[in-house]
Amino acid sequence: MFELIDVSFNLAGRPLLHPVSLQIPRGQMVGLIGHNGSGKSTLLGLLARQLAPSGGLLRLDERPLAAWSTREFASLVAYLPQRVPATCILRVRELVGFGCHPWRGLLGRFGAGDRLQAERALELTGTAELAGQRVDRLSDGERQRVWLAMLLARNTRYLLLDEPVAALDLACRLDILVRLRELSRSLALGVVVALHDINLAARYCDRLVALHGGRLLASGSPAALMNPATLEAIHGIPMRVLRHPDSGHPIAVVQ
């Protein structure tokens, strides 16, 4: 699991993340929730080793994060930022194949095992029929599923995704979140995903971590966090909680 012990991050003397203590296990989908500037992306950047903590201890599987070699870490953790690199004229199969890079090294050859892993990732994300198409000609939803396939081709233990559904329509958002939840359970993946929509987070995540102003407000099950007091602390406006008439899961609404 990931373990944070009083982990903080400062930029130019300004605290972006105040000391946080938290555990993130494998096999669960954890949603990071909070307004813009709450610290979600900073926390993901720390978990992904894109940022170095200003203080505290951050461990993965009981080993300090900094102690893992670059290749070891890349074989355990896959990260998708908000802004993905330009794909130019890459075909889907080529982009997904790049996910095998940590296994074979920069100059290594793409072998039969890598090919099988890439094909499996395409099947898991429903993108096999897109394999021959150019990535830049796909719809936003298709492109996001292809990036997810690239992460899965890494065969890691953890997926870290920063606002992966922010630019998608509702149907595509649901498709991505349902896939992530199913993959987390079927592959025993630890999935950490930053989300703006509290209702989608509560519907599809096993656990929520609420941040506000760079501070940890609450961490627990959706049922535990979906209450008027916590929601008002997160969003700064009065809210109440209703129950879905069919599933019974909580739904937050503005009063």
Side-chain angles (χ1 to χ4, degrees):
M1 69 169 69
F2 277 106
E3 185 178 15
L4 297 88
I5 304 173
D6 292 329
V7 171
S8 62
F9 180 75
N10 302 327
L11 183 63
R14 176 173 169 249
L16 298 186
L17 190 70
H18 296 269
V20 170
S21 294
L22 191 66
Q23 291 183 340
I24 302 175
R26 281 184 67 185
Q28 288 189 4
M29 184 164 162
V30 178
L32 305 182
I33 58 175
H35 58 76
N36 287 334
S38 63
K40 302 189 301 296
S41 293
T42 300
L43 180 54
L44 277 175
L46 290 166
L47 295 176
R49 288 208 323 190
Q50 302 296 305
L51 303 172
S54 301
L57 177 62
L58 180 51
R59 298 191 295 201
L60 174 62
D61 294 345
E62 301 183 351
R63 183 177 173 186
L65 215 61
W68 294 94
S69 72
T70 300
R71 184 167 181 173
E72 285 177 324
F73 188 77
S75 70
L76 294 172
V77 180
Y79 169 61
L80 187 66
Q82 287 189 48
R83 295 180 178 85
V84 297
T87 54
C88 300
I89 58 172
L90 285 176
R91 304 285 176 177
V92 167
R93 184 176 283 108
E94 293 172 324
L95 177 61
V96 174
F98 286 151
C100 301
H101 170 80
W103 297 115
R104 53 191 172 92
L106 183 60
L107 302 177
R109 299 184 63 184
F110 191 81
D114 299 317
R115 190 171 294 105
L116 288 174
Q117 188 64 35
E119 294 297 332
R120 171 177 175 267
L122 289 167
E123 291 293 340
L124 286 171
T125 54
T127 54
E129 70 277 8
L130 305 174
Q133 297 188 35
R134 279 176 44 171
V135 177
D136 60 351
R137 293 180 177 174
L138 301 178
S139 70
D140 289 340
E142 290 171 336
R143 193 177 301 116
Q144 201 68 342
R145 283 191 287 133
V146 168
W147 279 105
L148 177 57
M150 193 270 285
L151 298 187
L152 290 173
R154 297 263 292 270
N155 199 27
T156 60
R157 299 179 187 174
Y158 298 91
L159 300 181
L160 310 177
L161 304 103
D162 195 354
E163 298 288 355
V165 300
L168 306 182
D169 61 38
L170 182 57
C172 289
R173 291 182 191 182
L174 297 179
D175 178 76
I176 293 291
L177 292 175
V178 167
R179 288 180 189 276
L180 286 173
R181 184 178 62 179
E182 292 175 349
L183 290 167
S184 174
R185 294 174 179 177
S186 63
L187 303 179
L189 290 173
V191 177
V192 186
V193 53
L195 295 168
H196 272 303
D197 191 317
I198 181 67
N199 288 320
L200 289 180
R203 178 69 179 86
Y204 294 104
C205 294
D206 301 300
R207 183 179 169 200
L208 301 179
V209 174
L211 299 164
H212 183 86
R215 299 181 187 275
L216 177 65
L217 279 181
S219 173
S221 68
L225 267 66
M226 291 288 278
N227 63 78
T230 300
L231 292 171
E232 183 170 358
I234 295 170
H235 296 288
I237 54 175
M239 303 187 76
R240 61 186 180 127
V241 179
L242 306 177
R243 297 288 168 181
H244 191 281
D246 297 323
S247 66
H249 68 262
I251 301 172
V253 297
V254 178
Q255 282 192 350

